[in-house]
Amino acid sequence: MRKKVVTGICILLAIVLLIPIPMRLKDGGTVVYHAVLYQVEDVHRLCAVDTAGDEYLEGMIVRILGMEVYNSVE
């Protein structure tokens, strides 16, 4: 019985730590998937550039435990 309880607690902990919650930002289409251990940003951002027009940024940013490990935003 105790082994089942410990297994259940471990499964719930893994779900809380690893299942991301998607959030849509109001910057042109960026979606942030945020979990306790990691964060993934699917960037689609419209940035105003002085007078030359608008620039559109695309890419992905991955952070693990708050440290950026991948950035392909161009």
Side-chain angles (χ1 to χ4, degrees), residues 45-57:
R45 187 176 298 149
L46 187 61
C47 296
V49 178
D50 297 338
T51 58
D54 294 329
E55 182 179 334
Y56 192 70
L57 298 175

Side-chain angles (χ1 to χ4, degrees), residues 27 29-33 40-45 58-61 73:
D27 64 352
T30 299
V31 180
V32 178
Y33 300 95
V40 177
E41 286 185 52
D42 188 13
V43 178
H44 299 282
R45 187 176 298 149
E58 284 188 302
M60 185 174 287
I61 301 171
V73 176

Side-chain angles (χ1 to χ4, degrees), residues 1-48:
M1 178 69 175
R2 185 174 183 159
K3 189 174 183 178
K4 287 184 182 181
V5 171
V6 171
T7 302
I9 290 172
C10 288
I11 290 172
L12 287 174
L13 185 61
I15 289 171
V16 168
L17 293 176
L18 298 176
I19 301 296
I21 299 170
M23 295 181 289
R24 299 191 184 279
L25 303 182
K26 295 180 180 180
D27 64 352
T30 299
V31 180
V32 178
Y33 300 95
H34 185 76
V36 174
L37 294 178
Y38 66 95
Q39 177 178 333
V40 177
E41 286 185 52
D42 188 13
V43 178
H44 299 282
R45 187 176 298 149
L46 187 61
C47 296

